[in-house]
Amino acid sequence: MATLALLLKIIGAVSEVSGIVHIIASIRKKKRTRIGIGFIILVVGVILLVIATNIEDKIRAGYY
């Protein structure tokens, strides 16, 4: 379970960074319709990080 939490954190962090980069690139290219895709990637990254944090908390508490 600890390995799963670590993988989720890595994937979540990478997707957050790519989401921010996508948003910035969309603003620079003045393509407002693509900003939504960047926000979706950002939200997915946040959700993955929250899931990983919950798994780590449960591991520390002794549930797993």
Side-chain angles (χ1 to χ4, degrees):
M1 269 315 204
T3 307
L4 176 65
L6 179 64
L7 286 174
L8 284 175
K9 280 205 174 212
I10 292 170
I11 294 170
V14 168
S15 64
E16 273 192 359
V17 170
S18 64
I20 292 171
V21 168
H22 192 76
I23 291 170
I24 292 170
S26 297
I27 292 172
R28 282 188 151 194
K29 292 180 181 179
K30 299 189 189 313
K31 294 186 177 181
R32 302 283 184 211
T33 56
R34 292 188 170 203
I35 293 175
I37 297 171
F39 279 119
I40 290 171
I41 295 171
L42 190 65
V43 167
V44 168
V46 169
I47 290 171
L48 289 175
L49 286 174
V50 168
I51 291 171
T53 304
N54 285 340
I55 290 173
E56 285 181 343
D57 289 343
K58 288 180 181 179
I59 288 172
R60 287 189 189 132
Y63 291 119
Y64 289 126

